[in-house]
Amino acid sequence: MHVMRSAMLRNAPLSMKLLLILIFPLLGFLAFAGLFVADKSENLGDMRRAVTATAVAQKLSNVVTTIQRERGASGVFLGSGGKSMQDKLKAFRQETDKAISEMRTQSTDGIPSPDKVYRALDDLTALRLKIDTLGINNTESSTRFTDVIKTLVGFSYSLEASIEDPEILRGLSSLNQFVDMKERAGRERVLLVQAFNQNRFDAPLLSRFSRNLGEFSGYLEAFQRWSPEVFKTKLNDVMQQPGSLEVARLQRLGFDTPMGDPLNVKPEDWFNLATARIDMMANVEAELGQNVVGLATDARSSAQSSLYVAVAIVVLMLIVVLWLASVIIRNIKVAVVDVNRTLMALSTRDLTARTRYIGKDEFGEISRNLDNMAHQISEVISEIGSATAQVATAAEQSSAVALQTNQNVAQQRQGTDQVATA
């Protein structure tokens, strides 16, 4: 079998042997190129998931903001026995429905399924019906809304697992921390609505309010530690607004007023004041979300361009390699055919045959040596022919001399015979 394979390889055309020599380096190049392009393609896939994840997170933050407003207005509505906030509650519900509709149209390809989020949002219909019929108190209503928001925020945190790029991940993490911080501000709005509705703090309510305020401070500190400087400045500006300072004063009122003493703050006034601050925070949150989506979009564009460049480079290099291989094989084949043609002509005694291949490579040297050999053989043959002609001429001359000598001898003999006869 080995002998047969050796014979097959030995009898294979030269072009086939050259292709066999080039095939393995070419396969290695293709394997490397495939890995290179696959890496770029995988990176593009990561960036596409990042764009989807950040876009979904942005939509979720919008939904959370609208549900927070609806939760606060529902608390005031229930606390007043359905006499206050009817129009605002209706408007807030429309905003919530619009935000939910926009979120549902957002693509979720490549990220975890948001089915749990959708189920939580579907529960809003039944909750709203209970609120409209006053079939639920403001504490339970707040808890139900908060559970929905927790589901949304939890899903937003889970999207961080879809991010590979550190900068985008940091941006999304900052957005989630901000959403959680704003959610504490929303819960604070609800808690103080309850306190102002009953015009006093009781121990459980004060405990929840204190714990919520501590959580707000924790998220605020984390956000200021990890977020971009520009958004730290924006948030600080919000906190220094007159409305925010008034919110801080009313927060202190809860701790400064003895438990059970009247607070003397209208729930509607507090709601409007707290909502104004939360809306300013929501504006910062929206800009932060746009920034994160922008980071992901830019990264995707960069990855896409990188993939296109990689494919173009690989294709170009493959074309160059194939072209070089074709040129080399053709050049070698032309040289071999030319040398073989010359040898065949010489074998038929055509000593005028010469190679046409011109080059400074080994085949060029072989061609020059073959031409030189043919020239030398031609000269030798020419010299032999010339020598043969000279020998023939000398032979003819010798023959003529011999004939002349014979004639002279014959004449002398005849003369001698004549003398003897006389």
Side-chain angles (χ1 to χ4, degrees):
M1 183 65 70
H2 177 70
V3 174
M4 185 179 298
R5 286 198 297 267
S6 298
M8 290 177 60
L9 185 61
R10 185 168 56 250
N11 295 328
L14 179 62
S15 57
M16 180 64 70
K17 294 177 181 178
L18 293 173
L19 283 175
L20 290 175
I21 293 173
L22 294 173
I23 192 67
F24 292 105
L26 183 59
L27 289 175
F29 166 76
L30 290 175
F32 172 78
L35 292 174
F36 181 64
V37 172
D39 179 68
K40 297 297 182 182
S41 178
E42 183 179 359
N43 185 49
L44 177 58
D46 292 340
M47 293 305 102
R48 284 174 174 167
R49 283 192 297 274
V51 170
T52 301
T54 53
V56 170
Q58 184 185 31
K59 299 294 185 183
L60 282 172
S61 71
N62 293 338
V63 174
V64 168
T65 297
T66 58
I67 293 178
Q68 287 171 339
R69 292 180 187 141
E70 184 178 344
R71 176 181 59 188
S74 297
V76 176
F77 175 80
L78 291 171
S80 66
K83 298 176 182 178
S84 180
M85 286 283 181
Q86 297 96 331
D87 294 337
K88 281 192 175 182
L89 181 58
K90 182 179 179 180
F92 288 155
R93 286 177 177 177
Q94 291 175 348
E95 292 177 3
T96 299
D97 291 340
K98 180 181 178 182
I100 292 174
S101 177
E102 291 177 354
M103 191 202 72
R104 288 181 181 273
T105 60
Q106 174 64 46
S107 171
T108 57
D109 293 339
I111 63 173
S113 174
D115 290 341
K116 188 176 181 181
V117 170
Y118 294 153
R119 288 195 298 270
L121 293 174
D122 290 339
D123 292 340
L124 289 178
T125 302
L127 177 58
R128 288 171 175 175
L129 182 60
K130 286 187 176 182
I131 292 171
D132 291 340
T133 58
L134 303 180
I136 190 174
N137 60 45
N138 57 2
T139 301
E140 186 179 353
S141 167
S142 172
T143 301
R144 294 275 296 275
F145 276 114
T146 299
D147 288 341
V148 173
I149 292 174
K150 283 181 179 179
T151 301
L152 270 62
V153 174
F155 181 76
S156 186
Y157 272 109
S158 72
L159 294 175
E160 295 181 11
S162 304
I163 308 296
E164 298 290 339
D165 185 272
E167 186 178 5
I168 301 174
L169 179 59
R170 182 174 180 175
L172 181 57
S173 179
S174 296
L175 175 62
N176 287 332
Q177 290 171 356
F178 194 98
V179 171
D180 244 334
M181 177 180 63
K182 186 165 65 66
E183 165 59 7
R184 269 50 186 187
R187 293 180 189 179
E188 177 185 77
R189 176 174 55 188
V190 172
L191 291 172
L192 288 184
V193 162
Q194 294 176 11
F196 295 144
N197 267 325
Q198 63 188 26
N199 200 27
R200 62 181 176 81
F201 264 114
D202 54 33
L205 189 57
L206 183 60
S207 175
R208 290 168 58 194
F209 172 69
S210 177
R211 183 172 62 252
N212 184 79
L213 191 60
E215 292 175 357
F216 177 90
S217 299
Y219 283 113
L220 175 61
E221 181 181 350
F223 177 79
Q224 290 178 334
R225 184 169 59 250
W226 292 105
S227 68
E229 191 65 34
V230 61
F231 291 103
K232 295 179 188 177
T233 302
K234 289 179 180 294
L235 180 59
N236 289 334
D237 290 342
V238 169
M239 293 304 182
Q240 296 303 317
Q241 293 296 315
S244 298
L245 296 177
E246 180 63 14
V247 167
R249 187 189 70 81
L250 293 178
Q251 289 172 343
R252 292 192 299 271
L253 181 66
F255 295 104
D256 295 340
T257 303
M259 191 178 304
D261 286 1
L263 298 171
N264 297 324
V265 177
K266 292 183 179 180
E268 294 85 352
D269 293 342
W270 159 251
F271 176 84
N272 293 331
L273 190 64
T275 298
R277 185 186 69 150
I278 292 174
D279 286 347
M280 288 189 291
M281 294 176 65
N283 292 334
V284 177
E285 179 182 292
E287 292 183 29
L288 183 59
Q290 291 172 359
N291 178 70
V292 175
V293 173
L295 288 175
T297 302
D298 292 343
R300 181 188 61 184
S301 299
S302 177
Q304 194 170 34
S305 299
S306 181
L307 175 61
Y308 291 157
V309 170
V311 171
I313 290 174
V314 169
V315 171
L316 180 61
M317 290 181 66
L318 182 60
I319 292 174
V320 170
V321 168
L322 293 176
W323 176 77
L324 284 175
S326 174
V327 169
I328 291 171
I329 292 174
R330 185 172 65 250
N331 189 61
I332 293 175
K333 195 170 183 179
V334 166
V336 171
V337 169
D338 185 55
V339 170
N340 189 51
R341 177 192 58 78
T342 304
L343 289 172
M344 290 180 65
L346 292 174
S347 69
T348 59
R349 301 182 181 182
D350 181 9
L351 298 180
T352 62
R354 296 292 184 271
T355 60
R356 299 172 185 171
Y357 184 83
I358 299 175
K360 295 182 179 180
D361 58 355
E362 288 79 359
F363 284 104
E365 186 175 354
I366 291 173
S367 297
R368 288 190 295 272
N369 291 336
L370 179 59
D371 290 343
N372 185 50
M373 183 187 72
H375 177 70
Q376 295 296 330
I377 292 175
S378 179
E379 286 189 350
V380 169
I381 297 298
S382 178
E383 290 175 359
I384 292 174
S386 178
T388 301
Q390 291 176 0
V391 170
T393 301
E396 289 178 357
Q397 291 176 353
S398 297
S399 177
V401 170
L403 180 61
Q404 184 65 38
T405 301
N406 289 335
Q407 290 177 352
N408 291 337
V409 170
Q411 288 176 359
Q412 288 178 358
R413 184 180 296 171
Q414 185 178 6
T416 303
D417 290 343
Q418 289 176 355
V419 172
T421 302

